Amino acid sequence: MWEDKDHQRLDKLRFDFTINVTEEYKNVSKHKRILAPVVHWNVVVYANNRKINQDEEEVFVIDEFFNSLAKQGEVPMYTCSCGNFECGGFYINVMYKKDIVIWKTEQRPVQKFTFSKINVLLFAEKLMKELKKLNNVLLENGLTPYFEIDEFKSKVQSYATYNHL
């Protein structure tokens, strides 16, 4: 596990993650409904305790965050809650320099954040733990897990060992 003690002057990346299980009636046929479990979950990402997305309809794309650990450039890290990026998503331009990560949003006003590499690694590790909990809750309720945690771990390890010049 990584520790981030020497980077107090840099921006801080963190998130809140919620999981809520309810039961809702689902139609099984034209005349039959059953009470079935439904798992609602949400992740909200913050930089310096301020939400990065300014609109509640903009949703953090977890897969794209983990993909950004393997590539620099424009990453479609937020999409509209309807799932259509063109409807309300935005890119984050991701750049790596030695032991820092720079995120620059395209939304107005443009925001630029500089995180320590360690902060991004800690964020990724904590996010994977929450996603594993979510997958377990889904399985416990007879639902299919959403995320490939092993794939995310591989990307995090690759990022951790890569020397960004």
Side-chain angles (χ1 to χ4, degrees):
M1 188 64 120
W2 300 279
E3 290 188 46
D4 191 17
K5 295 180 182 176
D6 301 325
H7 298 96
Q8 283 81 23
R9 71 187 189 294
L10 298 175
D11 295 307
K12 297 291 184 195
L13 184 63
R14 72 170 191 84
F15 66 89
D16 288 335
F17 197 97
T18 57
I19 301 172
N20 186 21
V21 181
T22 61
E23 289 188 331
E24 297 177 10
Y25 282 100
K26 301 287 180 182
N27 291 336
V28 215
S29 69
K30 187 175 179 180
H31 302 287
K32 184 176 180 184
R33 297 178 349 151
I34 61 168
L35 197 58
V38 177
V39 177
H40 300 278
W41 62 276
N42 187 38
V43 61
V44 179
V45 179
Y46 300 88
N48 304 323
N49 293 321
R50 292 186 65 208
K51 286 176 31 174
I52 291 179
N53 62 315
Q54 298 173 359
D55 185 340
E56 292 297 321
E57 296 297 314
E58 298 164 338
V59 178
F60 182 65
V61 183
I62 292 169
D63 290 328
E64 290 298 338
F65 164 73
F66 285 102
N67 289 339
S68 80
L69 299 177
K71 66 177 181 179
Q72 298 184 73
E74 286 188 339
V75 178
M77 214 170 301
Y78 280 86
T79 193
C80 181
S81 61
C82 74
N84 184 352
F85 180 81
E86 287 78 24
C87 181
F90 65 90
Y91 291 95
I92 292 183
N93 189 0
V94 179
M95 295 184 313
Y96 300 118
K97 293 184 179 181
K98 200 173 177 178
D99 65 345
I100 63 169
V101 179
I102 300 168
W103 282 10
K104 186 175 179 183
T105 68
E106 66 172 17
Q107 62 188 147
R108 300 282 180 238
V110 172
Q111 300 176 76
K112 182 178 175 184
F113 305 105
T114 304
F115 307 111
S116 71
K117 181 177 179 178
I118 299 298
N119 181 216
V120 172
L121 286 168
L122 288 168
F123 178 92
E125 288 284 334
K126 290 176 184 175
L127 185 55
M128 284 189 302
K129 284 181 184 176
E130 293 300 320
L131 295 173
K132 188 173 184 175
K133 286 180 194 174
L134 173 60
N135 280 351
N136 288 337
V137 168
L138 290 165
L139 285 170
E140 289 167 5
N141 286 282
L143 302 169
T144 305
Y146 294 144
F147 297 103
E148 294 292 331
I149 306 301
D150 289 337
E151 185 179 314
F152 293 162
K153 280 183 186 176
S154 173
K155 290 177 181 179
V156 170
Q157 285 303 320
S158 177
Y159 171 73
T161 59
Y162 186 76
N163 185 15
H164 301 96
L165 299 177

mmCIF file of all heavy atoms in Angstrom, residues 2 11 15 23 26 30 33 36 39 42 51 58 71 104 114 118 123-124 133 137 139-142 149:
data_model
loop_
_atom_site.group_PDB
_atom_site.id
_atom_site.type_symbol
_atom_site.label_atom_id
_atom_site.label_comp_id
_atom_site.label_asym_id
_atom_site.label_seq_id
_atom_site.Cartn_x
_atom_site.Cartn_y
_atom_site.Cartn_z
ATOM 1 N N TRP A 2 0.437 2.271 -0.693
ATOM 2 C CA TRP A 2 1.207 3.493 -0.820
ATOM 3 C C TRP A 2 0.777 4.507 0.222
ATOM 4 O O TRP A 2 -0.344 4.509 0.682
ATOM 5 C CB TRP A 2 1.001 4.083 -2.214
ATOM 6 C CG TRP A 2 1.438 3.154 -3.281
ATOM 7 C CD1 TRP A 2 2.718 2.959 -3.712
ATOM 8 C CD2 TRP A 2 0.639 2.257 -4.035
ATOM 9 N NE1 TRP A 2 2.748 2.018 -4.692
ATOM 10 C CE2 TRP A 2 1.484 1.554 -4.920
ATOM 11 C CE3 TRP A 2 -0.710 1.952 -4.071
ATOM 12 C CZ2 TRP A 2 1.034 0.620 -5.811
ATOM 13 C CZ3 TRP A 2 -1.159 1.008 -4.961
ATOM 14 C CH2 TRP A 2 -0.295 0.348 -5.813
ATOM 15 N N ASP A 11 -2.992 19.076 -5.329
ATOM 16 C CA ASP A 11 -4.427 18.829 -5.203
ATOM 17 C C ASP A 11 -4.650 17.425 -4.657
ATOM 18 O O ASP A 11 -3.817 16.538 -4.820
ATOM 19 C CB ASP A 11 -5.100 18.973 -6.571
ATOM 20 C CG ASP A 11 -5.009 20.393 -7.100
ATOM 21 O OD1 ASP A 11 -5.402 21.322 -6.372
ATOM 22 O OD2 ASP A 11 -4.554 20.573 -8.249
ATOM 23 N N PHE A 15 -13.041 10.269 -3.365
ATOM 24 C CA PHE A 15 -14.396 9.977 -3.826
ATOM 25 C C PHE A 15 -15.270 9.552 -2.659
ATOM 26 O O PHE A 15 -14.788 9.151 -1.608
ATOM 27 C CB PHE A 15 -14.387 8.871 -4.901
ATOM 28 C CG PHE A 15 -13.940 7.532 -4.378
ATOM 29 C CD1 PHE A 15 -14.851 6.636 -3.833
ATOM 30 C CD2 PHE A 15 -12.607 7.163 -4.421
ATOM 31 C CE1 PHE A 15 -14.441 5.405 -3.339
ATOM 32 C CE2 PHE A 15 -12.185 5.937 -3.928
ATOM 33 C CZ PHE A 15 -13.098 5.051 -3.396
ATOM 34 N N GLU A 23 -35.830 -3.473 -3.084
ATOM 35 C CA GLU A 23 -36.585 -4.467 -3.836
ATOM 36 C C GLU A 23 -37.652 -3.726 -4.628
ATOM 37 O O GLU A 23 -38.297 -2.809 -4.115
ATOM 38 C CB GLU A 23 -37.219 -5.507 -2.909
ATOM 39 C CG GLU A 23 -36.197 -6.439 -2.306
ATOM 40 C CD GLU A 23 -36.849 -7.581 -1.543
ATOM 41 O OE1 GLU A 23 -37.966 -7.400 -1.018
ATOM 42 O OE2 GLU A 23 -36.241 -8.650 -1.485
ATOM 43 N N LYS A 26 -40.803 -6.422 -10.650
ATOM 44 C CA LYS A 26 -40.388 -6.565 -12.043
ATOM 45 C C LYS A 26 -41.404 -7.429 -12.765
ATOM 46 O O LYS A 26 -41.876 -8.424 -12.221
ATOM 47 C CB LYS A 26 -39.005 -7.237 -12.143
ATOM 48 C CG LYS A 26 -37.897 -6.491 -11.431
ATOM 49 C CD LYS A 26 -37.543 -5.261 -12.193
ATOM 50 C CE LYS A 26 -36.425 -4.527 -11.474
ATOM 51 N NZ LYS A 26 -36.051 -3.312 -12.117
ATOM 52 N N LYS A 30 -46.730 -10.864 -18.967
ATOM 53 C CA LYS A 30 -47.762 -9.842 -19.119
ATOM 54 C C LYS A 30 -48.623 -9.692 -17.866
ATOM 55 O O LYS A 30 -49.083 -8.607 -17.537
ATOM 56 C CB LYS A 30 -48.634 -10.199 -20.321
ATOM 57 C CG LYS A 30 -49.629 -9.148 -20.684
ATOM 58 C CD LYS A 30 -50.366 -9.519 -21.948
ATOM 59 C CE LYS A 30 -51.383 -8.448 -22.295
ATOM 60 N NZ LYS A 30 -52.108 -8.792 -23.513
ATOM 61 N N ARG A 33 -45.821 -10.378 -11.860
ATOM 62 C CA ARG A 33 -44.705 -9.554 -11.380
ATOM 63 C C ARG A 33 -44.105 -10.229 -10.157
ATOM 64 O O ARG A 33 -44.816 -10.893 -9.406
ATOM 65 C CB ARG A 33 -45.189 -8.164 -10.991
ATOM 66 C CG ARG A 33 -45.751 -7.398 -12.125
ATOM 67 C CD ARG A 33 -46.282 -6.026 -11.790
ATOM 68 N NE ARG A 33 -46.421 -5.709 -10.383
ATOM 69 C CZ ARG A 33 -46.336 -4.484 -9.886
ATOM 70 N NH1 ARG A 33 -46.105 -3.469 -10.675
ATOM 71 N NH2 ARG A 33 -46.481 -4.265 -8.608
ATOM 72 N N ALA A 36 -38.056 -8.208 -6.831
ATOM 73 C CA ALA A 36 -36.665 -8.561 -7.128
ATOM 74 C C ALA A 36 -35.717 -7.514 -6.538
ATOM 75 O O ALA A 36 -36.055 -6.331 -6.457
ATOM 76 C CB ALA A 36 -36.463 -8.650 -8.639
ATOM 77 N N VAL A 39 -29.891 -3.096 -7.059
ATOM 78 C CA VAL A 39 -28.749 -2.463 -6.407
ATOM 79 C C VAL A 39 -28.496 -1.116 -7.076
ATOM 80 O O VAL A 39 -28.219 -1.043 -8.273
ATOM 81 C CB VAL A 39 -27.490 -3.364 -6.493
ATOM 82 C CG1 VAL A 39 -26.293 -2.659 -5.867
ATOM 83 C CG2 VAL A 39 -27.748 -4.711 -5.821
ATOM 84 N N ASN A 42 -23.474 4.678 -6.519
ATOM 85 C CA ASN A 42 -23.034 5.967 -7.052
ATOM 86 C C ASN A 42 -21.622 6.261 -6.563
ATOM 87 O O ASN A 42 -21.262 5.917 -5.431
ATOM 88 C CB ASN A 42 -23.991 7.070 -6.587
ATOM 89 C CG ASN A 42 -23.706 8.396 -7.241
ATOM 90 O OD1 ASN A 42 -23.376 8.454 -8.423
ATOM 91 N ND2 ASN A 42 -23.847 9.462 -6.481
ATOM 92 N N LYS A 51 -16.633 18.775 -5.957
ATOM 93 C CA LYS A 51 -16.979 17.830 -7.011
ATOM 94 C C LYS A 51 -16.366 18.275 -8.337
ATOM 95 O O LYS A 51 -16.408 19.458 -8.673
ATOM 96 C CB LYS A 51 -18.490 17.721 -7.159
ATOM 97 C CG LYS A 51 -19.120 16.952 -6.031
ATOM 98 C CD LYS A 51 -20.621 16.879 -6.040
ATOM 99 C CE LYS A 51 -21.310 16.897 -7.355
ATOM 100 N NZ LYS A 51 -22.756 16.672 -7.231
ATOM 101 N N GLU A 58 -23.838 14.413 -14.992
ATOM 102 C CA GLU A 58 -22.532 13.932 -15.458
ATOM 103 C C GLU A 58 -22.064 12.825 -14.520
ATOM 104 O O GLU A 58 -21.978 13.017 -13.310
ATOM 105 C CB GLU A 58 -21.517 15.073 -15.488
ATOM 106 C CG GLU A 58 -21.911 16.174 -16.452
ATOM 107 C CD GLU A 58 -21.149 17.466 -16.236
ATOM 108 O OE1 GLU A 58 -20.617 17.692 -15.138
ATOM 109 O OE2 GLU A 58 -21.112 18.261 -17.177
ATOM 110 N N LYS A 71 -2.702 5.401 -20.350
ATOM 111 C CA LYS A 71 -2.514 6.294 -21.489
ATOM 112 C C LYS A 71 -2.720 7.741 -21.070
ATOM 113 O O LYS A 71 -3.485 8.040 -20.161
ATOM 114 C CB LYS A 71 -3.484 5.948 -22.618
ATOM 115 C CG LYS A 71 -4.945 6.186 -22.257
ATOM 116 C CD LYS A 71 -5.873 5.915 -23.413
ATOM 117 C CE LYS A 71 -7.311 6.208 -22.977
ATOM 118 N NZ LYS A 71 -8.251 6.001 -24.039
ATOM 119 N N LYS A 104 -6.827 18.112 -16.694
ATOM 120 C CA LYS A 104 -7.398 19.387 -17.135
ATOM 121 C C LYS A 104 -8.743 19.079 -17.772
ATOM 122 O O LYS A 104 -8.822 18.298 -18.714
ATOM 123 C CB LYS A 104 -6.472 20.069 -18.141
ATOM 124 C CG LYS A 104 -6.912 21.448 -18.532
ATOM 125 C CD LYS A 104 -5.878 22.102 -19.437
ATOM 126 C CE LYS A 104 -6.350 23.482 -19.853
ATOM 127 N NZ LYS A 104 -5.393 24.095 -20.792
ATOM 128 N N THR A 114 -3.457 19.127 -10.189
ATOM 129 C CA THR A 114 -2.181 18.424 -10.170
ATOM 130 C C THR A 114 -2.156 17.536 -8.937
ATOM 131 O O THR A 114 -2.148 18.022 -7.802
ATOM 132 C CB THR A 114 -1.003 19.430 -10.125
ATOM 133 O OG1 THR A 114 -1.132 20.324 -11.229
ATOM 134 C CG2 THR A 114 0.328 18.702 -10.218
ATOM 135 N N ILE A 118 1.173 9.148 -6.085
ATOM 136 C CA ILE A 118 0.762 8.353 -4.920
ATOM 137 C C ILE A 118 -0.728 8.569 -4.627
ATOM 138 O O ILE A 118 -1.464 7.625 -4.343
ATOM 139 C CB ILE A 118 1.618 8.695 -3.679
ATOM 140 C CG1 ILE A 118 3.086 8.383 -3.931
ATOM 141 C CG2 ILE A 118 1.103 7.984 -2.440
ATOM 142 C CD1 ILE A 118 3.387 6.933 -4.195
ATOM 143 N N PHE A 123 -6.170 6.493 -4.558
ATOM 144 C CA PHE A 123 -7.540 6.641 -5.066
ATOM 145 C C PHE A 123 -7.958 5.362 -5.791
ATOM 146 O O PHE A 123 -9.043 4.827 -5.546
ATOM 147 C CB PHE A 123 -7.578 7.851 -6.013
ATOM 148 C CG PHE A 123 -8.906 8.097 -6.660
ATOM 149 C CD1 PHE A 123 -9.834 8.938 -6.079
ATOM 150 C CD2 PHE A 123 -9.219 7.513 -7.888
ATOM 151 C CE1 PHE A 123 -11.055 9.186 -6.685
ATOM 152 C CE2 PHE A 123 -10.436 7.752 -8.504
ATOM 153 C CZ PHE A 123 -11.351 8.591 -7.911
ATOM 154 N N ALA A 124 -7.089 4.865 -6.670
ATOM 155 C CA ALA A 124 -7.388 3.651 -7.447
ATOM 156 C C ALA A 124 -7.555 2.437 -6.542
ATOM 157 O O ALA A 124 -8.475 1.633 -6.724
ATOM 158 C CB ALA A 124 -6.294 3.410 -8.481
ATOM 159 N N LYS A 133 -16.619 -4.642 -3.224
ATOM 160 C CA LYS A 133 -17.799 -4.723 -2.348
ATOM 161 C C LYS A 133 -19.078 -4.696 -3.182
ATOM 162 O O LYS A 133 -20.007 -5.462 -2.930
ATOM 163 C CB LYS A 133 -17.823 -3.553 -1.356
ATOM 164 C CG LYS A 133 -16.825 -3.636 -0.236
ATOM 165 C CD LYS A 133 -16.973 -2.411 0.658
ATOM 166 C CE LYS A 133 -15.822 -2.243 1.593
ATOM 167 N NZ LYS A 133 -15.900 -0.984 2.353
ATOM 168 N N VAL A 137 -22.026 -7.501 -3.384
ATOM 169 C CA VAL A 137 -23.434 -7.214 -3.120
ATOM 170 C C VAL A 137 -24.295 -7.681 -4.295
ATOM 171 O O VAL A 137 -25.362 -8.275 -4.102
ATOM 172 C CB VAL A 137 -23.651 -5.704 -2.834
ATOM 173 C CG1 VAL A 137 -25.129 -5.334 -2.840
ATOM 174 C CG2 VAL A 137 -23.011 -5.309 -1.511
ATOM 175 N N LEU A 139 -23.585 -10.110 -6.429
ATOM 176 C CA LEU A 139 -23.618 -11.578 -6.387
ATOM 177 C C LEU A 139 -24.549 -12.095 -5.296
ATOM 178 O O LEU A 139 -25.323 -13.031 -5.523
ATOM 179 C CB LEU A 139 -22.207 -12.136 -6.178
ATOM 180 C CG LEU A 139 -21.276 -12.096 -7.384
ATOM 181 C CD1 LEU A 139 -19.848 -12.444 -6.974
ATOM 182 C CD2 LEU A 139 -21.777 -13.028 -8.477
ATOM 183 N N GLU A 140 -24.484 -11.496 -4.108
ATOM 184 C CA GLU A 140 -25.336 -11.902 -2.989
ATOM 185 C C GLU A 140 -26.821 -11.763 -3.325
ATOM 186 O O GLU A 140 -27.655 -12.454 -2.760
ATOM 187 C CB GLU A 140 -25.015 -11.057 -1.746
ATOM 188 C CG GLU A 140 -23.684 -11.358 -1.120
ATOM 189 C CD GLU A 140 -23.261 -10.306 -0.094
ATOM 190 O OE1 GLU A 140 -24.061 -9.376 0.197
ATOM 191 O OE2 GLU A 140 -22.128 -10.404 0.397
ATOM 192 N N ASN A 141 -27.129 -10.865 -4.254
ATOM 193 C CA ASN A 141 -28.518 -10.623 -4.627
ATOM 194 C C ASN A 141 -28.881 -11.283 -5.958
ATOM 195 O O ASN A 141 -29.897 -10.936 -6.569
ATOM 196 C CB ASN A 141 -28.795 -9.118 -4.667
ATOM 197 C CG ASN A 141 -28.889 -8.535 -3.284
ATOM 198 O OD1 ASN A 141 -29.914 -8.676 -2.619
ATOM 199 N ND2 ASN A 141 -27.811 -7.926 -2.811
ATOM 200 N N GLY A 142 -28.033 -12.222 -6.394
ATOM 201 C CA GLY A 142 -28.329 -12.976 -7.611
ATOM 202 C C GLY A 142 -28.152 -12.189 -8.893
ATOM 203 O O GLY A 142 -28.701 -12.558 -9.929
ATOM 204 N N ILE A 149 -12.256 -6.557 -11.565
ATOM 205 C CA ILE A 149 -11.294 -6.006 -10.607
ATOM 206 C C ILE A 149 -9.867 -6.433 -10.958
ATOM 207 O O ILE A 149 -8.940 -5.626 -10.847
ATOM 208 C CB ILE A 149 -11.655 -6.425 -9.159
ATOM 209 C CG1 ILE A 149 -13.095 -6.040 -8.824
ATOM 210 C CG2 ILE A 149 -10.668 -5.834 -8.160
ATOM 211 C CD1 ILE A 149 -13.425 -4.584 -8.928
#
